[in-house]
């Protein structure tokens, strides 16, 4: 058999199936595209599900891929054994209703025996016990002897998950030799030992299973084959496990070099080496596909992996960020297959390093606390870390629960998982109650449950600003009432409304509900889950009655301002992706009439150049007067068109798509402009961080942006007037004044020095002697700290031998300086210890060296007392 590297095996496989009419597709990102059922792609067929189900048309009926995959259900076992890993590559050839068993089985055999030259006598296959068709193909077409074809039951050789498409499978095994077996007489294919290794699985999706458990044949059966690339490399390179495969081994060896350790010298060390090697492969791939460390979802998976690896680095004696450096080896080993790694090299390194540094700030303190908990638990002869302890580590020190579990187990302790979960739940409930307490009383469960669930509000606000409607409900003081009078605050539910209810970051509309001699000013609008629009406001005139016919009209000017900001957020997101990278995605927004706020996933603060570039691009698109086209369409059609969905958002079968020419296309239920030119222009006010990996931009458009510029212009004119200069010359005038000020300050300092020098004779004449040591103490309120230090140096140099104690109350700030000559330091004088006691009198503190120290204080009235107290302190120090 040929000994081939992992990268060559991947290429051989894909080229082989290209020769069989397959379209080679690049690996899909690890982040599932429009599939909320998955956190991360965990198999070769996962991103192809729409093709198998018929929801989407595949680019070709035959496809071959090498798919990046992440699986983390047994993360705690990674490192403890050489079998477990979180990242792997899955080779796959797929047929979407094209070829079937007659082609799939012989092609698999051809590839492994003719292309890879695997010895036939080492190969075994398994089939489903009732799959005579597969047996015939293996036996008659391929020529495999019956004794090498093993029939197995449903548990091993039938692929199904609940109801839906399913079918038998046929696996190919490689016999690695008796020496790798368990030694039992009945050791055979299917044994748990290391002798027979399954490396290729042909799944024949030919049935549909219904709710009653009946299997019916599919009219167009599919082929879904999978082969672990690392497992194939183990066979080809004749190594024991994935950590010894060439590309993985190169990463492992670099880990050893970084930690200055050797593999296979210590079981404990080997665990840490394997953890780091596996986890850095996973994290590098995840970051390259746009995952950013966070406390939720896939971001939390990434954070867990990075922090677990960082912690094992510390166990190996690495006490500085290092994972970002090892990620470079991962990139070098895989960049040919995954060019995005090379393209994002600097970005990957930066994200990983930032997370390492963040964890480094907390892990040492967290470990101290955890070790304290472990000691306390053992002292009580208990065997379990409490849920409260585990939660405290999680919430305060950023310790993932599995890290606490792992360290506890190393110390022979378990953790109270249920108690931890209860604490987490309690935290969520408190948060939810706090949220609900801030909501309108109309959200009360009692109020909501009393309403007819079949009655809904028809929203017509996308096309109409005014609607004739009927009052369905009036809610006042947490009760459903029949009438509401002038001056009363109410929530009104109508059968039809033009009012947009707050959602998707866009605030609700304001306006009026009017009828016969009645007018209600509406200040906000929200929506219940079952489709009732809640118009909250105050009755300004007359009496409102349930069942009344009314006219609902929105504040059009306000709505237009909101639309300006909402359309601009779409432009902003696209510009950010163009400038910063495609990892940018919306993490939240607030669209109001007078401003917009846009939160987005990004790992570091934007530079002023990046902000200017984004602002310029958005304004360019506004000036181009791009048409904003809004359409409703089936969600599958929208996905085919490439519309961007907000991750985690739930969408129905029909979605609303906002398309801005050929520039931007997003799912969105908000209100928008007809043309980008209606936005006027955008002005970015600020860019800041709001959470780990999340940045925020605040900006203005239209009238608000114009008002902002007018205010700035007014401010510039006022400054110019104060400077007695024109706006265009103001900067030069300020620079000239700064030079004048600096010159004046220098002159003041010189005058101060002369003033101090003139009073030095008096200072020296008031010197006292303490146990043979000369002490000069004085107060100079005209000196700041720097000048006070300089004066102290002057006095110390002139006196030759002794201690200087000075104080100042300059501009409301208390300062102290103590200095001592070398000869008195030898007698026991320590300026740092003297000043600690002196400053304490004035409510301050400080310290320093034996020959010089400085301190601050708070109480100006205590300066003299503090200076005088120095004599007692000095007297106590002299030996």
């Amino acid at each position: 058999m040929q000994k081939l590297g992992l990268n060559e095996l991947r290429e051989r496989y894909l080229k082989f199936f290209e020769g069989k009419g397959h379209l080679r597709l690049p690996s899909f990102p690890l982040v599932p595209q429009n599939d909320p059922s998955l956190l991360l792609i965990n198999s070769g067929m996962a991103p192809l599900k729409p093709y198998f189900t018929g929801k989407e048309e595949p680019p070709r009926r035959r496809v071959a891929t090498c798919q990046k995959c992440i699986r983390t259900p047994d993360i705690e076992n990674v490192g403890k054994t050489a079998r477990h890993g979180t990242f792997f590559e899955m080779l796959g050839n797929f047929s979407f209703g094209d070829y079937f068993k007659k082609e799939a089985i012989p092609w698999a055999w051809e590839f492994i025996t003719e292309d890879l030259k695997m010895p036939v006598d080492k190969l075994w296959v398994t089939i489903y016990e009732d799959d005579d068709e597969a047996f015939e193909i293996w036996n008659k077409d391929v020529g495999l002897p019956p004794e090498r074809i093993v029939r197995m039951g449903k548990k091993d050789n039938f692929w199904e998950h609940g109801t839906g498409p399913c079918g038998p499978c046929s696996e190919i095994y490689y016999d690695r030799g008796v020496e790798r077996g368990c030694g039992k007489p009945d050791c055979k294919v299917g044994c748990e030992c290391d002798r027979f290794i399954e490396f290729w699985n042909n799944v024949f999706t030919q049935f549909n299973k219904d709710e009653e458990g009946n299997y019916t044949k599919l009219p167009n059966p599919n082929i879904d084959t999978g082969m672990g690339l690392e497992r194939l490399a183990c066979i080809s390179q004749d190594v024991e496990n994935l950590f010894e495969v060439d590309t993985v081994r190169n990463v492992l060896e670099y880990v050893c070099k970084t930690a200055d350790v050797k593999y296979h010298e210590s079981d404990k060390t080997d665990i840490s080496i394997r953890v780091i090697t596996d986890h850095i492969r996973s994290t590098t791939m995840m970051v390259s596909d746009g995952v950013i460390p966070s406390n939720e979802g896939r971001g939390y998976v990434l954070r867990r992996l990075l922090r677990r690896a960082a912690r094992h680095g510390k166990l190996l004696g690495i006490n500085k960020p290092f994972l970002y450096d090892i990620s470079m080896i991962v990139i070098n080993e895989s960049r040919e297959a995954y060019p995005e790694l090379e393209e994002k090299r600097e970005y990957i390194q930066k994200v990983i390093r930032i997370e390492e540094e963040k964890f480094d700030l907390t892990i040492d303190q967290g470990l101290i606390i955890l070790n304290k908990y472990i000691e306390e638990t053992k002292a009580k002869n208990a065997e379990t870390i409490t849920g409260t302890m585990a939660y405290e580590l999680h919430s305060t020190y950023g310790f993932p629960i599995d890290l606490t579990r792992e360290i506890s187990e190393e110390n022979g302790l378990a953790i109270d998982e249920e108690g931890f979960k209860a604490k987490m739940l309690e935290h969520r409930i408190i948060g939810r109650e706090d949220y609900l307490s801030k909501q309108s009383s109309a959200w009360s469960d009692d109020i909501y449950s009393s309403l007819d669930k079949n009655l809904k509000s028809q929203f017509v606000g996308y096309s109409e600003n005014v609607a004739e409607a009927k009052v369905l409900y009036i809610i006042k003081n947490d009760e459903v009432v029949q009438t509401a009078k002038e001056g009363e605050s109410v929530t009104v539910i109508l059968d039809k409304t033009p009012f947009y209810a707050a959602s998707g970051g866009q605030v609700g509309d304001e306006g009026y509900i009017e009828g016969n001699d009645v007018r209600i000013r509406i200040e906000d609008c929200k929506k219940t889950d079952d489709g009732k629009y809640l118009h909250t406001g105050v009755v300004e005139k007359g009496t409102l009655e349930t069942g009344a016919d009314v006219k609902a009209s929105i504040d059009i000017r306000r709505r237009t301002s909101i639309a300006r900001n909402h359309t601009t957020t779409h432009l902003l997101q696209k510009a950010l992706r163009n400038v910063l990278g495609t990892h940018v995605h919306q993490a939240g927004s607030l669209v109001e009439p007078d401003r917009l706020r846009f939160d987005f996933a990004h790992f570091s603060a934007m530079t002023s150049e990046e902000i200017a570039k984004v602002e310029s691009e958005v304004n360019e698109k506004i000036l181009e007067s791009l048409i904003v086209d809004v359409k409703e369409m089936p969600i599958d059609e929208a996905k085919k068109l490439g519309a961007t969905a907000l991750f985690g958002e739930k969408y129905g079968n029909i979605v609303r798509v906002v398309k801005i020419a050929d520039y931007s296309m997003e799912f969105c239920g908000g209100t928008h402009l007809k043309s980008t030119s209606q936005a006027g222009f955008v002005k970015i006010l600020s860019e800041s961080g709001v959470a780990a990996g999340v940045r925020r931009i605040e900006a203005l458009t239209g009238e608000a942006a114009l008002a902002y510029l007018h205010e700035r212009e007014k401010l510039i004119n006022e400054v110019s007037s104060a400077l007695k200069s024109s706006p265009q010359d103001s900067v030069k005038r300020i620079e000239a004044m700064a030079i004048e000020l600096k010159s004046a300050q220098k002159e003041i300092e010189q005058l101060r020095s002369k003033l101090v020098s003139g009073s030095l004779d008096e200072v020296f004449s008031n010197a006292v002697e303490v146990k043979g040591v000369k002490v000069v103490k004085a107060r100079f309120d005209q000196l700041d700290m720097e000048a006070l230090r300089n004066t102290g140096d002057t006095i110390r140099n002139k006196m030759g031998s002794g201690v200087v104690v000075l104080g100042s109350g300059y501009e409301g700030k208390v300062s102290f300086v103590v200095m001592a000559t070398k000869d008195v330091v030898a007698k026991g004088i320590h300026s740092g210890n003297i000043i600690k006691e002196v400053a304490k009198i004035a409510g301050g503190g400080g310290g320093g060296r034996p020959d010089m120290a400085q301190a601050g204080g708070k109480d100006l009235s205590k300066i003299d007392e503090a200076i005088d107290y120095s004599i007692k302190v000095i007297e106590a120090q002299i030996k």
Side-chain angles (χ1 to χ4, degrees):
M1 180 182 177
Q2 298 180 67
K3 185 176 182 179
L4 301 172
L6 181 138
N7 288 323
E8 188 176 352
L9 284 168
R10 184 196 300 111
E11 186 60 25
R12 285 272 193 104
Y13 177 87
L14 294 172
K15 272 190 174 177
F16 176 84
F17 279 99
E18 277 186 304
K20 301 297 183 184
H22 290 65
L23 173 66
R24 181 202 293 217
L25 290 179
S27 173
F28 289 81
L30 285 166
V31 177
Q33 304 299 297
N34 302 318
D35 185 358
S37 67
L38 278 180
L39 201 61
L40 292 160
I41 294 298
N42 58 10
S43 69
M45 68 80 62
L48 304 173
K49 279 195 293 185
Y51 303 151
F52 280 111
T53 60
K55 286 185 177 179
E56 292 183 21
E57 186 70 23
R60 194 181 294 176
R61 293 292 171 184
R62 298 180 182 185
V63 164
T65 65
C66 182
Q67 177 62 46
K68 297 176 286 187
C69 301
I70 297 281
R71 289 182 189 171
T72 57
D74 54 359
I75 186 174
E76 291 83 2
N77 291 321
V78 174
K80 294 178 183 176
T81 75
R83 287 184 174 188
H84 291 86
T86 58
F87 174 77
F88 61 97
E89 297 176 65
M90 185 66 77
L91 298 168
N93 56 284
F94 307 94
S95 166
F96 309 111
D98 185 9
Y99 64 83
F100 202 48
K101 297 178 190 177
K102 277 279 187 182
E103 294 81 11
I105 290 173
W107 285 344
W109 189 257
E110 180 185 345
F111 176 69
I112 61 178
T113 60
E114 295 182 25
D115 199 299
L116 299 186
K117 308 294 184 188
M118 281 192 185
V120 175
D121 62 341
K122 294 282 189 181
L123 298 169
W124 294 71
V125 302
T126 63
I127 61 172
Y128 178 52
E129 57 191 357
D130 295 337
D131 194 353
D132 294 332
E133 182 185 5
F135 180 88
E136 289 294 315
I137 296 170
W138 277 118
N139 181 232
K140 299 281 175 57
D141 297 357
V142 173
L144 201 61
E147 60 270 18
R148 301 185 81 82
I149 305 169
V150 181
R151 291 181 184 263
M152 288 191 168
K154 205 169 187 180
K155 178 185 174 185
D156 297 298
N157 278 70
F158 196 93
W159 186 90
E160 65 179 347
H161 290 285
T163 59
C166 58
C169 62
S170 178
E171 299 176 326
I172 307 176
Y173 285 76
Y174 186 83
D175 183 358
R176 308 199 74 194
V178 178
E179 65 277 8
R180 285 190 170 100
C182 57
K184 295 177 182 177
D186 60 345
C187 183
K188 58 185 179 182
V189 171
C191 184
E192 292 295 319
C193 70
D194 293 332
R195 177 176 175 179
F196 296 96
I197 180 170
E198 177 266 313
F199 65 94
W200 194 318
N201 186 12
N202 287 277
V203 178
F204 311 125
T205 312
Q206 62 189 90
F207 299 111
N208 185 69
K209 182 183 178 183
D210 62 23
E211 298 288 347
E212 284 73 41
N214 301 313
Y215 296 88
T216 55
K217 282 193 174 184
L218 292 172
N220 296 304
N222 300 316
I223 287 292
D224 163 20
T225 77
M227 174 162 56
L229 178 57
E230 291 87 353
R231 191 172 290 191
L232 180 63
C234 284
I235 296 170
S236 176
Q237 297 171 27
D238 194 28
V239 295
E240 297 300 319
N241 55 66
L242 72 94
F243 291 97
E244 296 181 12
V245 169
D246 61 336
T247 56
V248 186
R249 181 80 194 206
N250 290 339
V251 178
L252 182 144
E253 287 176 352
Y254 195 78
V255 172
C256 292
K257 179 183 176 183
T258 302
D260 194 22
V261 296
K262 289 184 179 179
Y263 193 46
H264 287 328
E265 282 197 349
S266 158
D267 288 343
K268 189 175 180 181
T269 298
D270 285 355
I271 289 172
S272 294
I273 292 170
R274 286 192 291 263
V275 167
I276 297 167
T277 300
D278 171 78
H279 289 5
I280 193 58
R281 293 179 74 223
S282 296
T283 55
T284 300
M285 297 295 181
M286 289 171 72
V287 173
S288 78
D289 281 347
V291 183
I292 294 176
S294 69
N295 287 327
E296 294 180 347
R298 59 181 67 91
Y300 183 62
V301 173
L302 174 60
R303 175 161 283 170
R304 284 176 64 197
L305 293 170
L306 273 171
R307 293 190 168 188
R308 189 167 187 256
R311 186 244 167 182
H312 276 276
K314 285 189 176 288
L315 293 179
L316 293 180
I318 307 173
N319 292 309
K320 62 179 182 179
F322 70 101
L323 293 171
Y324 76 95
D325 183 43
I326 298 172
S327 71
M328 297 301 99
I329 307 303
V330 180
I331 292 171
N332 292 343
E333 293 296 327
S334 302
R335 60 188 172 187
E336 288 183 18
Y338 309 113
E340 63 271 17
L341 292 171
E342 184 62 48
E343 293 166 10
K344 299 179 180 178
R345 178 184 287 267
E346 187 179 340
Y347 168 76
I348 293 167
Q349 191 173 26
K350 195 165 188 177
V351 171
I352 293 175
R353 178 156 193 165
I354 288 170
E355 182 63 18
E356 281 191 272
E357 290 170 347
K358 282 180 181 175
F359 188 44
D360 209 38
L361 294 173
T362 60
I363 188 171
D364 290 336
Q365 192 174 5
L367 284 171
I368 292 169
I369 300 299
L370 177 54
N371 288 331
K372 177 184 164 210
Y373 288 161
I374 289 170
E375 287 174 11
E376 289 175 3
T377 303
K378 287 183 175 179
K380 295 175 185 175
N381 292 320
E383 298 178 348
T384 305
I385 297 289
T386 68
T388 301
M389 290 174 172
Y391 178 75
E392 178 70 16
L393 284 162
H394 167 80
S395 61
T396 306
Y397 301 102
F399 256 54
I401 184 65
D402 57 323
L403 193 56
T404 302
R405 184 190 302 112
E406 188 171 326
I407 297 172
S408 299
E409 286 175 357
E410 289 170 3
N411 287 273
L413 299 174
I415 61 172
D416 178 10
E417 303 267 0
E418 293 305 315
F420 172 77
K421 289 175 185 174
K423 275 286 179 185
M424 290 286 285
L425 182 62
E426 178 186 330
H427 177 74
R428 288 194 185 108
I429 289 172
I430 290 171
R432 180 175 178 272
E433 288 176 345
D434 180 57
Y435 171 76
L436 290 174
S437 71
K438 296 173 184 174
Q439 304 308 301
S440 163
S441 62
W443 288 95
S444 162
D445 285 342
D446 292 338
I447 299 298
Y448 177 75
S449 61
S450 69
L451 307 182
D452 185 346
K453 291 180 172 54
N454 294 317
L455 290 178
K456 302 181 187 303
S457 306
Q458 180 190 357
F459 176 63
V460 296
Y462 288 137
S463 57
E464 298 176 32
N465 299 322
V466 180
E468 301 294 331
K470 186 180 289 293
V471 176
L472 298 179
Y473 291 103
I474 302 170
I475 298 170
K476 182 178 67 176
N477 297 327
D478 292 347
E479 291 183 1
V480 176
V481 297
Q482 295 302 307
T483 61
K485 297 178 181 178
E486 186 175 320
E488 294 180 335
S489 296
V490 294
T491 295
V492 182
I493 300 176
L494 306 174
D495 66 340
K496 184 189 290 185
T497 180
F499 283 79
Y500 182 86
S503 64
Q506 179 174 327
V507 296
D509 278 330
E510 294 179 5
Y512 286 92
I513 294 175
E514 298 171 284
N516 289 330
D517 296 322
V518 64
R519 183 175 68 243
I520 304 96
R521 185 180 76 253
I522 301 302
E523 299 166 341
D524 196 8
C525 184
K526 290 185 172 67
K527 184 171 64 173
T528 64
D529 290 339
D530 64 349
K532 294 180 180 66
Y533 280 63
L534 311 176
H535 307 80
T536 306
V538 177
V539 180
E540 289 189 338
K541 172 188 172 186
T543 299
L544 181 67
E545 297 181 351
T546 302
D549 292 323
V550 293
K551 180 178 74 174
S553 54
I554 64 169
D555 182 334
I556 298 173
R557 184 170 179 174
R558 183 176 181 275
R559 163 76 79 83
T560 303
S561 294
I562 293 170
R564 285 193 188 101
N565 286 327
H566 204 153
T567 299
T568 302
T569 63
H570 287 225
L571 296 173
L572 190 58
Q573 173 161 253
K574 182 62 176 178
L576 284 165
R577 288 172 68 86
N578 288 345
V579 172
L580 302 179
T582 54
H583 64 280
V584 168
H585 62 263
Q586 184 176 337
S589 67
L590 177 64
V591 182
E592 296 181 315
D594 55 351
R595 65 170 179 146
L596 70 86
R597 189 178 75 202
F598 187 76
D599 296 345
F600 57 100
H602 186 52
F603 59 88
S604 62
M606 291 175 67
T607 64
S608 56
E609 291 81 8
E610 287 171 338
I611 294 170
K613 199 171 180 181
V614 168
E615 184 178 274
S616 177
E617 182 171 325
V618 174
N619 279 316
E620 182 183 315
K621 297 305 170 186
I622 290 172
L623 288 171
E624 286 178 12
S625 195
L626 302 178
I627 298 299
V628 181
D629 186 26
V630 182
K631 288 182 180 177
E632 287 191 347
M633 62 183 72
I635 189 169
D636 293 336
E637 184 182 337
K639 289 177 180 177
K640 283 180 185 177
L641 291 173
T644 303
L646 185 61
F647 179 77
E649 190 77 14
K650 292 182 179 178
Y651 298 99
N653 293 326
I654 302 297
V655 294
R656 196 163 176 269
V657 175
V658 177
K659 185 175 183 289
I660 304 175
D662 293 327
Y663 183 69
S664 166
M665 182 162 54
E666 298 182 35
F667 289 25
C668 184
T671 59
H672 286 271
L673 304 171
K674 300 294 182 185
S675 166
T676 57
S677 60
Q678 291 176 282
F681 68 99
V682 66
K683 179 60 191 171
I684 294 176
L685 300 181
S686 65
E687 189 274 348
S688 60
V690 291
V694 179
R695 308 296 300 176
R696 171 174 291 171
I697 278 179
E698 298 201 47
L700 304 175
T701 65
E703 294 175 83
L706 195 59
Y708 171 81
L709 290 185
H710 285 160
E711 188 63 35
R712 285 293 165 127
E713 185 179 35
K714 180 184 175 185
L715 180 62
I716 290 170
N717 288 333
E718 288 175 355
V719 169
S720 301
S721 176
L723 292 169
K724 295 181 172 57
S725 173
S726 63
Q728 56 267 33
D729 292 330
S730 291
V731 173
K732 289 181 181 178
R733 177 66 182 133
I734 290 170
E735 288 172 346
M737 290 178 69
I739 293 171
E740 291 172 13
L741 182 61
K742 192 173 181 181
S743 176
Q745 286 174 334
K746 189 175 181 181
E747 189 177 339
I748 289 169
E749 288 302 320
Q750 289 172 346
L751 289 171
R752 280 181 184 163
S753 295
K754 288 179 182 178
L755 186 64
V756 170
S757 296
S759 61
L760 286 185
D761 290 340
E762 184 182 347
V763 169
F764 279 113
S765 67
N766 290 327
V768 298
E769 194 169 297
V770 180
K771 290 186 180 180
V773 174
K774 192 174 184 181
V775 180
V776 171
K777 56 186 181 68
R779 177 172 178 173
F780 296 100
D781 281 347
Q782 67 271 41
L783 302 182
D784 60 13
M785 179 61 84
E786 185 179 357
L788 198 66
R789 279 200 311 269
N790 293 336
T791 301
D793 281 331
T794 301
I795 295 172
R796 180 174 59 177
N797 292 338
K798 278 191 175 184
M799 69 191 299
S801 174
V803 180
V804 182
V805 181
L806 304 179
S808 171
Y810 181 67
E811 292 186 349
K813 292 181 180 179
V814 177
S815 302
F816 295 105
V817 169
V818 176
M819 294 183 177
T821 56
K822 288 183 180 178
D823 60 315
V824 298
V825 169
K827 292 181 180 181
I829 292 296
H830 192 295
S831 300
N833 294 338
I834 294 170
I835 210 160
K836 280 180 187 174
E837 301 301 319
V838 169
K840 215 182 275 183
I841 300 293
R849 305 187 305 269
D851 62 329
M852 197 284 283
Q854 67 184 50
K858 296 176 181 176
D859 193 342
L860 287 164
S861 67
K862 298 284 187 179
I863 294 176
D864 291 330
E865 182 184 338
I867 293 172
D868 291 340
Y869 184 70
S870 67
I871 300 298
K872 289 185 179 180
V873 181
I874 292 168
E875 189 175 13
Q877 282 192 359
I878 300 172
K879 296 175 183 176

